Amino acid sequence: MGDAEVKTVFEACVPRPEVLSGELHEATFAARLGDVVRGTADPVYADPIAFFNRTHPTEGLRTLLTEALGRVWGTNPMAAPVLRLETGFGGGKTHSLIALYHAACGRLPAEVLAHYVGGNAGVLRERARVAVVVGDDLNPVDGIRHPDGTVTYTPWGEIAYQLGGRVAYEMVRRSDEARVPGAIPWREIIGEGPVVILLDELAPYLRTLRTWRGKEALAGHLAPFLKTLLESVAASPRAVCVLTLAEASDAFGEETEELGQVLTQLIAELKAISGRIERILTPTSGEEEIASILVRQLFERVDTSCIPEIAAAYRAYFEEAQRQGAELPASALTPDYLRFLERSYPFHPELLVTLNRKVSTIPNFQRTRGALRLLARAIRRLWEIRPADAWLIHPHHLDLAWDPIVEDLTSRLDRPRYKEVVHADIASPVAEHPGFASDIDRAWQASGRRPFAKRAATAIFLHSLTRGAVVGARTEEVALACLAPGDDPALLSQALKELERRCWYLDYEGERWRFLTEPSLNKMVVDEMQYVGVTKGKQVLDERLRAIWQSGIFEVCRFPAEPAEIPDDAGKPKLAIIHYDAAAAREDEETPPLLVQRLFQEKGTVGEPRTFQNNVIFLVCDEAQKEEMIIKAREAEAVRRLADNPERQRLLTPEQRKRLQERKDESELQLRVAIHRAYRFLYYPSADALRSAAGLAREALPAQDQGEVKRDQSRVILDALRRLEKVYTGDDGPIAPELIKRWAWTHGSREMSVAETMRAFAMRRGLRILLDPRPLREGILQGIRRGLWVYYDPSEGRGYGGESPVPLVRLDGEAMLMEPELARERGIPIAGAEPQEERCPVCGEPAARCRCQPPPPPAPEETFEASGTAAQALQAIIDRMHDRHVAALAVLQLTVDGDGPEGVRELRSLGLAVPQLGPGQFRVEVSATGEFEGGSMRLEFRGPWERYKDLKDAVVSVLERASAAQVRARLDWRARDPLTPEGINQVRDALAHLIPGRVRITAEPSAGEVQES
């Protein structure tokens, strides 16, 4: 919605000059009936023409004038003689009494009065005699002195004097001076002519009587007075009595409630005698009439022709916002709300609803007077600021950055502590501390977003001033009060979250937002942070940094300051976490910090060039995020201190204690978020890096939200390196043998050690980092099967070629890869190659048919056995599988034995091996003896692994303390799936490091697998 479509309030409305100038005096709002009667009121009330020019003909006011004047003029004989006004907001009871007073006194032209009483106005009627009694003005102790010297003390004395002067007063003098009504001749005083008696809030008078020492009993005479007065009024055909009572919740609540009960009882008694006695009226019937009253009082002119377009624009926007997921009340899309919006113009309906139903519950708000004063100031401020999107006057247009409005809503309402709430959380007159909502909006506007924080905070603040059980605003109420055509509802949701995170006094208990005068947990945390210095904050931060990145995928080097602190080898790749104070990076600088360059290029302590540059990566802090990370560390420590301090806990409510514990977890999570947002620059070796970057390229890690930070952060780095195709992992396929030979072999060489091949990947920046040796090992095996090279391990004394069984490729020994021709030249025997047929030297027949030799030995049993290191023994098992044409094994049996500490280590290693093997059934047999000072021990165990694993640590611990020990242990593993040579190869990787000593392995082929070779 824009200027070309509809008008803003500045184009369609003209406020009264005194509103814009700020010259709307306090007297303008302070309507006092007694001052009007005495002629001392402000002209806007004392002048009948001026008064009615500013008075909107509400339904309640028109009914009052029609009923009262119809009875005293005789045009409506059936009108009720007693009218009771209930307190209402805007154009209330006092305003209504002043209107009736002017009309009854005959001081108003008929054409003006016609707008309020219709056909009953007719020609100018005879003026009525009017008596006005205001409870605040009565003085039963000193009396009220009149110009002719008469002094009255009671309501009946005042009424008699005002209706008939000194003559009528003399009839009641004794009763008045005695403060006892007695037998007052009301029929004679009222007479037959038109009479209007206005009784405005007698509760203060009743309170005065009750507190008059020694005269308390006089209070009991007020009810008899009212009874005889109302009987006489009801009996006179042209007399009417109008009574008003304040709400029972005001300062005179007890007296008000008592008078209400008295009146109800009296009226019931009168009804038994006569017919229609009383009518109860509400001066205003709802927010729609309130809008008309306020417009009449505050605006000189309002162009109503633009209202339909504005209402239609809001309706269309609400529908679209709801489709976008905005939380809006269902009622906002109904035709009734659209009509409400039109009738409330230029005020937003939610502004009127909030003032009428929430703020007006505060007695000091003084209803009409408070609303007019508050809105007059709001309009003046709004016309000074003139925001471009003011299609209606919203609740947030009560600018809490302007002190007069804040005063109206705090000090005037006996809410002085709320001023601190406004200044801290919403808007402050101190530029250096603008209030959290204003600070949020300032940052949003700087980034090109529309501000919503102050809007939302102002709406919530108005809802927070109420008295009663329902304090605060639901999210949909805040949205309805704040959103206007052209707004993005998602920004409002973000603003509420940001307010909840930062404000000191804002509270959200899951259903309603509200401002409290007691500091929230946010304020407590901020106060505690004053005692958590930067030094302590950095200590906490360093602890978290050390804990977040654990060695696993990478060997983590935390906070290296010298090259020697990062090992230079071809082992597990190194991840160096650079301390944020040692070096940090900027978004606009691709070149690594100088410290990172030095750590990457050098090794040791004497500045030698680093050999294995392709085996180290660096994680560096973003300079722009460093400060926020430290703040979050201080906040987390402050929350921890509060949550873990029993003394502080006792000062909190159970709900606060619960939320503080939740805040503790949340602050730790936010610290992790801050750390991962700060440590976002990954530097990795690259042959394509610029020379100025010293061989390092940079990748910015993706931003993580709170739902992701619990991931292993090494995984985040791994994912980034995978996207960059910079790593080989265990999930990758084999490295093509041709690429291995091209990349890793020395140019022109016919052979290369396997270890050097692996080291080449850790040295050359153009290669991928080898995170898992499996792709290289599988690539070597492919090269063997395809005849590109022969794998030769000198410790076995034979090589493996295309026709050989699958070898256990060792990457860290003396094994070599060589061209097949070179292996033949060196006479290296190849496992599995077809041997030349052996013949008997005596008969010349093939050995298989020779009769000169003894018969061949019987076929071996269906088990294979081998011993040595785990790698050696398993390779022998694979060789025998190849020779016997066995495709898979069903059972592996591992046996270890030894004396002293070596035997105990073998026993511990066997226990550690089980979780590394595949699924299946495990059985353990352990036999151990130990000698101790003063005794000995013998242990025998046979049973399933599930029973032994609960005992193994205790058994090993006891044997470690023995002066002498002997251990023999056996593990039987019946695999769930048959073990192929490839599977045994993986078992070898697991056992090679866990069981470094000698082991005996017995293998049982799967059923039907054994064949003679």
Side-chain angles (χ1 to χ4, degrees):
M1 185 164 72
D3 293 343
E5 300 175 18
V6 297
K7 297 178 180 178
T8 64
V9 293
F10 312 114
E11 298 168 305
C13 305
V14 179
R16 293 187 180 276
E18 58 269 30
V19 172
L20 293 180
S21 65
E23 296 176 356
L24 211 58
H25 304 298
E26 184 72 18
T28 306
F29 306 115
R32 291 179 59 84
L33 180 59
D35 292 343
V36 174
V37 174
R38 290 186 291 271
T40 59
D42 187 276
V44 297
Y45 295 108
D47 183 345
I49 303 299
F51 175 82
F52 276 90
N53 281 341
R54 289 174 176 262
T55 299
H56 175 71
T58 66
E59 181 180 351
L61 178 58
R62 285 188 284 110
T63 302
L64 171 65
L65 295 179
T66 300
E67 283 276 312
L69 296 177
R71 179 172 176 84
V72 298
W73 287 342
T75 58
N76 184 11
M78 299 303 296
V82 180
L83 301 174
R84 193 193 316 183
L85 298 187
E86 290 185 347
T87 302
F89 170 88
K93 55 180 180 50
T94 303
H95 204 90
S96 299
L97 292 180
I98 293 173
L100 178 57
Y101 174 79
H102 285 311
C105 290
R107 304 171 61 192
L108 198 65
E111 60 271 17
V112 175
L113 193 56
H115 294 290
Y116 298 85
V117 296
N120 283 339
V123 296
L124 189 61
R125 307 281 181 173
E126 62 177 306
R127 58 179 299 177
R129 288 181 297 145
V130 180
V132 177
V133 177
V134 179
D136 279 328
D137 293 342
L138 291 172
N139 188 340
V141 180
D142 300 322
I144 301 174
R145 184 170 296 276
H146 295 276
D148 61 1
T150 303
V151 179
T152 58
Y153 298 92
T154 64
W156 47 93
E158 270 293 298
I159 295 173
Y161 180 80
Q162 291 186 39
L163 290 180
R166 289 182 64 92
V167 175
Y169 178 71
E170 288 300 327
M171 299 180 187
V172 300
R173 177 188 293 276
R174 290 186 179 182
S175 296
D176 183 53
E177 292 176 346
R179 280 74 167 180
V180 178
I184 298 175
W186 287 119
R187 299 282 181 91
E188 185 177 349
I189 294 173
I190 293 174
E192 299 296 325
V195 170
V196 175
I197 300 174
L198 306 179
L199 302 181
D200 189 16
E201 294 188 15
L202 294 181
Y205 173 72
L206 184 58
R207 170 71 62 86
T208 302
L209 292 176
R210 283 184 168 169
T211 56
W212 189 5
R213 184 171 299 177
K215 304 289 186 179
E216 298 89 344
L218 295 176
H221 296 291
L222 191 58
F225 150 70
L226 289 174
K227 183 176 186 300
T228 56
L229 174 66
L230 297 183
E231 287 176 345
S232 299
V233 169
S236 176
R238 298 184 63 187
V240 67
C241 179
V242 182
L243 305 100
T244 69
L245 291 176
E247 290 185 338
S249 60
D250 75 351
F252 302 96
E254 182 180 344
E255 289 76 14
T256 298
E257 187 172 0
E258 180 180 334
L259 286 173
Q261 293 174 354
V262 167
L263 285 173
T264 301
Q265 183 178 350
L266 291 177
I267 296 300
E269 293 176 2
L270 292 173
K271 282 183 179 178
I273 303 172
S274 181
R276 189 164 181 257
I277 297 297
E278 181 192 43
R279 181 168 184 179
I280 298 176
L281 302 177
T282 301
T284 55
S285 59
E287 286 91 0
E288 295 180 10
E289 283 196 336
I290 293 169
S292 300
I293 295 169
L294 296 173
V295 169
R296 191 82 171 252
Q297 290 279 356
L298 299 172
F299 289 93
E300 196 172 74
R301 179 178 60 82
V302 172
D303 180 6
T304 58
S305 65
C306 63
I307 294 178
E309 290 80 5
I310 292 176
Y314 270 82
R315 171 64 183 269
Y317 169 73
F318 288 156
E319 291 176 345
E320 177 60 28
Q322 194 174 61
R323 284 194 291 269
Q324 295 175 11
E327 290 190 59
L328 286 170
S331 60
L333 300 177
T334 63
D336 287 343
Y337 193 82
L338 183 64
R339 287 191 293 270
F340 185 14
L341 191 148
E342 292 176 338
R343 294 170 183 170
S344 300
Y345 186 82
F347 300 105
H348 190 291
E350 295 310 300
L351 175 58
L352 303 180
V353 168
T354 305
L355 293 179
N356 185 37
R357 303 180 189 177
K358 296 292 185 77
V359 181
S360 68
T361 62
I362 305 169
N364 287 2
F365 187 63
Q366 297 174 316
R367 302 184 179 277
T368 308
R369 187 184 313 176
L372 287 172
R373 180 177 56 243
L374 177 64
L375 292 177
R377 288 176 171 169
I379 290 168
R380 177 188 173 191
R381 181 64 173 167
L382 185 62
W383 256 253
E384 289 175 353
I385 300 173
R386 290 181 175 264
D389 57 352
W391 321 111
L392 295 174
I393 301 176
H394 285 246
H396 60 78
H397 288 134
L398 272 64
D399 185 9
L400 297 182
W402 198 43
D403 198 55
I405 292 178
V406 177
E407 285 291 330
D408 261 5
L409 290 171
T410 57
S411 298
R412 279 186 176 272
L413 301 184
D414 197 23
R415 297 286 197 274
R417 297 181 65 181
Y418 275 103
K419 183 181 292 188
E420 181 181 352
V421 174
V422 172
H423 290 169
D425 285 353
I426 305 175
S428 167
V430 181
E432 293 78 10
H433 303 284
F436 292 120
S438 299
D439 193 47
I440 294 168
D441 283 346
R442 183 183 300 174
W444 281 25
Q445 287 176 302
S447 62
R449 290 185 290 178
R450 299 182 73 175
F452 276 93
K454 191 177 167 189
R455 289 190 190 185
T458 302
I460 295 169
F461 181 76
L462 292 176
H463 281 269
S464 303
L465 296 174
T466 185
R467 279 189 174 180
V470 182
V471 179
R474 294 188 299 272
T475 299
E476 57 264 30
E477 290 178 308
V478 178
L480 188 58
C482 294
L483 293 175
D487 288 338
D488 181 357
L491 291 179
L492 177 62
S493 298
Q494 295 177 25
L496 287 171
K497 291 179 181 178
E498 191 69 10
L499 287 169
E500 183 182 20
R501 187 179 70 84
R502 296 183 59 182
C503 287
W504 288 353
Y505 297 95
L506 181 62
D507 177 72
Y508 180 64
E509 33 70 33
E511 181 179 359
R512 292 181 180 275
W513 300 88
R514 59 181 178 173
F515 282 103
L516 305 175
T517 54
E518 295 298 326
S520 67
L521 290 179
N522 284 347
K523 178 63 165 60
M524 296 171 60
V525 171
V526 169
D527 289 344
E528 188 66 27
M529 283 178 65
Q530 297 178 8
Y531 303 101
V532 181
V534 174
T535 301
K536 179 60 179 178
K538 288 185 176 181
Q539 290 176 358
V540 172
L541 178 57
D542 292 351
E543 291 173 3
R544 302 302 188 276
L545 288 171
R546 290 187 178 95
I548 285 176
W549 286 280
Q550 296 289 331
S551 293
I553 299 174
F554 305 97
E555 179 182 340
V556 178
C557 304
R558 300 173 185 83
F559 311 153
E562 296 292 339
E565 297 175 29
I566 303 177
D568 185 36
D569 57 44
K572 186 173 290 187
K574 315 300 183 288
L575 169 61
I577 310 296
I578 305 301
H579 195 278
Y580 49 89
D581 281 339
R586 298 181 183 276
E587 181 73 40
D588 56 351
E589 293 181 1
E590 290 284 341
T591 304
L594 293 177
L595 174 62
V596 174
Q597 296 185 40
R598 178 168 171 255
L599 295 174
F600 177 66
Q601 293 177 322
E602 299 177 9
K603 69 176 181 178
T605 58
V606 294
E608 297 179 42
R610 182 173 291 276
T611 302
F612 299 101
Q613 287 189 341
N614 201 46
N615 214 34
V616 59
I617 58 177
F618 301 87
L619 194 58
V620 180
C621 175
D622 181 353
E623 180 70 38
Q625 298 292 329
K626 173 180 168 182
E627 190 63 30
E628 178 67 13
M629 182 174 58
I630 297 171
I631 291 173
K632 289 300 180 185
R634 294 177 61 202
E635 180 180 337
E637 175 63 12
V639 174
R640 185 199 65 77
R641 290 183 180 184
L642 291 171
D644 296 347
N645 187 329
E647 294 296 326
R648 302 290 290 274
Q649 290 282 312
R650 280 195 285 270
L651 300 176
L652 303 178
T653 65
E655 178 64 23
Q656 284 179 315
R657 287 195 290 270
K658 175 185 175 184
R659 294 183 63 185
L660 184 58
Q661 291 299 324
E662 294 172 351
R663 179 70 177 268
K664 181 180 177 181
D665 297 336
E666 180 187 353
S667 65
E668 283 293 336
L669 182 58
Q670 288 180 354
L671 175 55
R672 287 181 66 92
V673 171
I675 288 173
H676 300 313
R677 287 177 177 171
Y679 274 86
R680 57 186 290 260
F681 291 128
L682 178 68
Y683 292 91
Y684 62 93
S686 173
D688 299 327
L690 298 174
R691 180 174 298 179
S692 60
L696 289 168
R698 187 174 84 172
E699 176 73 5
L701 298 180
Q704 299 175 70
D705 60 29
Q706 292 187 3
E708 297 176 317
V709 296
K710 292 185 178 179
R711 289 185 62 192
D712 178 2
Q713 290 306 302
S714 296
R715 279 281 174 192
V716 177
I717 297 174
L718 175 60
D719 291 345
L721 293 174
R722 276 175 168 165
R723 290 193 301 271
L724 295 166
E725 297 185 348
K726 182 59 186 175
V727 290
Y728 283 115
T729 70
D731 296 331
D732 290 319
I735 303 174
E738 294 82 2
L739 297 181
I740 295 175
K741 195 166 186 179
R742 182 192 311 163
W743 291 341
W745 281 34
T746 303
H747 182 68
S749 175
R750 299 178 67 191
E751 63 180 335
M752 186 79 172
S753 82
V754 176
E756 284 299 321
T757 302
M758 185 172 179
R759 283 194 289 270
F761 281 88
M763 294 169 60
R764 300 180 183 177
R765 289 185 282 110
L767 302 183
R768 296 191 191 185
I769 299 172
L770 203 60
L771 284 179
D772 190 295
R774 184 172 300 171
L776 177 59
R777 181 180 286 116
E778 294 296 327
I780 290 174
L781 289 174
Q782 278 194 4
I784 295 171
R785 288 193 289 270
R786 291 166 55 186
L788 293 180
W789 50 61
V790 167
Y791 173 80
Y792 173 61
D793 188 343
S795 64
E796 295 188 33
R798 60 179 174 174
Y800 291 82
E803 68 277 19
S804 301
V806 178
L808 290 172
V809 176
R810 299 181 59 186
L811 301 178
D812 56 354
E814 298 179 356
M816 302 290 294
L817 299 179
M818 59 181 63
E819 294 178 350
E821 184 61 31
L822 180 60
R824 285 193 292 270
E825 291 174 5
R826 294 181 178 177
I828 295 175
I830 305 301
E834 286 292 333
Q836 294 183 352
E837 188 174 22
E838 187 177 347
R839 291 181 177 273
C840 175
V842 178
C843 64
E845 291 291 326
R849 297 195 297 272
C850 175
R851 299 178 182 177
C852 306
Q853 302 294 327
E861 297 180 3
E862 293 185 354
T863 57
F864 305 145
E865 289 189 4
S867 63
T869 66
Q872 182 181 0
L874 286 171
Q875 182 63 63
I877 295 294
I878 292 177
D879 292 346
R880 294 179 187 181
M881 290 173 67
H882 177 272
D883 294 342
R884 301 292 294 276
H885 304 291
V886 173
L889 301 176
V891 178
L892 276 182
Q893 183 185 91
L894 284 73
T895 304
V896 297
D897 57 64
D899 298 336
E902 183 66 29
V904 177
R905 282 196 296 271
E906 297 291 346
L907 179 61
R908 178 194 290 111
S909 299
L910 195 67
L912 295 174
V914 174
Q916 306 301 320
L917 302 175
Q921 297 178 354
F922 295 90
R923 182 176 177 82
V924 179
E925 295 186 7
V926 177
S927 175
T929 60
E931 299 292 336
F932 302 89
E933 184 178 352
S936 62
M937 179 196 77
R938 179 175 181 80
L939 169 70
E940 297 284 343
F941 176 88
R942 292 181 179 83
W945 163 254
E946 287 71 17
R947 296 288 301 276
Y948 177 69
K949 70 179 180 180
D950 296 330
L951 305 173
K952 62 182 180 66
D953 291 338
V955 171
V956 170
S957 178
V958 171
L959 291 174
E960 284 178 333
R961 295 194 293 270
S963 57
Q966 291 183 330
V967 176
R968 188 176 190 279
R970 190 180 84 188
L971 172 67
D972 292 345
W973 173 30
R974 181 171 295 277
R976 186 184 66 186
D977 301 316
L979 288 168
T980 63
E982 288 77 9
I984 299 172
N985 218 346
Q986 296 178 16
V987 172
R988 175 261 180 199
D989 288 343
L991 298 182
H993 298 291
L994 291 175
I995 308 179
R998 177 175 293 275
V999 62
R1000 184 167 69 253
I1001 298 179
T1002 302
E1004 180 181 322
S1006 296
E1009 290 284 357
V1010 179
Q1011 302 176 18
E1012 291 188 9
S1013 61

